[in-house]
Structure formats: structure tokens, C-alpha cells
Amino acid sequence: MSKTKNWIKRFAMTCLFFMALGATFQSISGVKAKTLIAQFASAISSSKEVSGTTPPSLEDAFDWSKYPKHIVTATGYTAGYESTGKRQNHPEYGITYSGVKVKRDLFSTIAADLTVFPIGTILFIPGYGYGVVADKGGAIKGNELDLYYETVEDVYKHWGKKQVEVYVVQNGNGKITEDQLQALNEDKTLQVFRQQYISSEKR
């Protein structure tokens, strides 16, 4: 019983001490203790939010202005019949002009006019990510691109058709292989951004 009384007494004394400390601080600084507590709580909350934030987008992570830029008209496309005229049982379904399979990833396969952007050219397309020119299209002329998406729903939901400023990260040499595309997508320095693209259409 005496232990309980002692504990209550200590607790009460501690409360009184902090109340006296708050009153003294308030009289010296003119800042209300309640305001100070609220600011402290806000600071703790902000620090928690910062520590749990997602990494910045690729758009914000790099200075793209140092790369050559082009204004293009970009359209979303799929490997399906509606875009390529090929059905899933076609032997070349999902295979690009370069021979690599279509891919939506951090570095996705895209189609271009090869006289403007040769096979293997790497572009950064704001809102889409990196695009590697791996395909061409009969209807693609000049500053036009086709951006690969896995489904028609993704095309309409995430892109459609837009005029956009793209940045030439690397000029192509006329070829791209599966191994090169895989190596690009597995670049350790860029993995922090990868999930933003491979999961964006699945949300």
C-alpha cells in the first residue's frame, strides 16, 4: 500500500514539476506551453512522414535539361490485334522489329521512325519513363512515337495520345538485344525508381 502511495506521490510531483517548468518557460519566452507542445508534435509527425516517403519520380530526380530534346506526338499501343494486327497465336506476336519482346518496365520498348530515332535509342519520356526504341511502325512518321503498354485499358487510362517533350539520353546504333534491355532494367542505381513503372498500370 505504501508503495502505491509513494508511486502516486512521485507521479504528482513529476506533473507539478513539468507544469511549473511550462509556466516558467511561458513567462520568460512569452510562448504558450500548449503552442510549444503542438509544434513539437507537428515536428515529430513531419519527420515520420519524411522517413516514410517514396523516392522522387524520375522527372524530379535528374536534370533532364542537359539532354537534347524533341517535341513528339506519342501514342500508346499494345502487342494486340488492335495495334499490330497480330493475335496471340501469331508466331511474331509481341516481337518487335529489333527482335526483342515488347516490355513495360523501367526501360520499356517503344516504336519510332528509325530515320529520326534509330533502334537502340534511349529516350526519357515524362509521364512514361525510359523508352528504348526497339520497333517501327508503318504509320509512324517523323517526330512520332508509339509507347508500349500491356493492355488497351492501360493505354487509355495512362496515356492515350499526347504531344510531349522527350529527351535523348543515348543515341542508338541500330540494334538492341534482350540482354542489353535486361541489363538496363536491372541497373542497380535505378532500382529505386523501377517499381514506380512496373506497378503503375497494375494499381
Side-chain angles (χ1 to χ4, degrees):
M1 193 73 171
S2 60
K3 283 185 180 180
T4 306
K5 282 183 180 179
N6 284 338
W7 186 86
I8 293 170
K9 189 188 256 185
R10 283 179 186 168
F11 180 74
M13 291 297 286
T14 304
C15 289
L16 286 169
F17 171 76
F18 280 110
M19 287 169 66
L21 193 65
T24 304
F25 176 83
Q26 184 175 323
S27 65
I28 293 170
S29 66
V31 178
K32 291 184 178 180
K34 191 184 287 185
T35 304
L36 186 67
I37 292 167
Q39 288 178 344
F40 182 68
S42 176
I44 291 172
S45 175
S46 297
S47 67
K48 284 181 180 176
E49 285 175 13
V50 169
S51 64
T53 54
T54 55
S57 65
L58 274 172
E59 283 83 347
D60 301 325
F62 300 101
D63 178 13
W64 298 107
S65 64
K66 66 182 181 180
Y67 296 100
K69 59 187 175 184
H70 291 261
I71 295 175
V72 303
T73 300
T75 308
Y77 85 109
T78 71
Y81 185 81
E82 65 287 334
S83 295
T84 65
K86 298 171 187 171
R87 300 192 186 278
Q88 287 191 0
N89 59 359
H90 192 286
E92 294 178 4
Y93 179 85
I95 305 297
T96 64
Y97 177 75
S98 66
V100 302
K101 294 176 183 175
V102 290
K103 181 181 285 291
R104 179 68 176 122
D105 208 322
L106 177 60
F107 288 81
S108 303
T109 53
I110 62 174
D113 181 335
L114 303 186
T115 64
V116 180
F117 301 115
I119 294 287
T121 297
I122 300 174
L123 303 175
F124 177 70
I125 304 138
Y128 181 76
Y130 288 107
V132 181
V133 177
D135 211 350
K136 66 174 186 175
I140 302 174
K141 303 293 181 189
N143 288 322
E144 295 181 345
L145 298 175
D146 272 358
L147 312 181
Y148 175 71
Y149 282 94
E150 292 181 353
T151 67
V152 175
E153 290 76 18
D154 288 340
V155 169
Y156 286 111
K157 183 178 178 182
H158 299 285
W159 195 267
K161 184 175 184 177
K162 299 178 186 177
Q163 190 172 68
V164 64
E165 206 168 61
V166 302
Y167 301 90
V168 182
V169 176
Q170 181 179 303
N171 287 307
N173 61 3
K175 62 179 182 178
I176 184 74
T177 66
E178 291 284 359
D179 287 343
Q180 289 172 325
L181 190 58
Q182 183 176 345
L184 286 169
N185 278 305
E186 293 179 358
D187 184 335
K188 290 181 180 178
T189 63
L190 295 172
Q191 291 309 296
V192 68
F193 303 105
R194 192 177 186 188
Q195 203 61 34
Q196 297 174 13
Y197 294 93
I198 61 176
S199 64
S200 62
E201 281 80 55
K202 294 178 175 64
R203 292 191 191 109

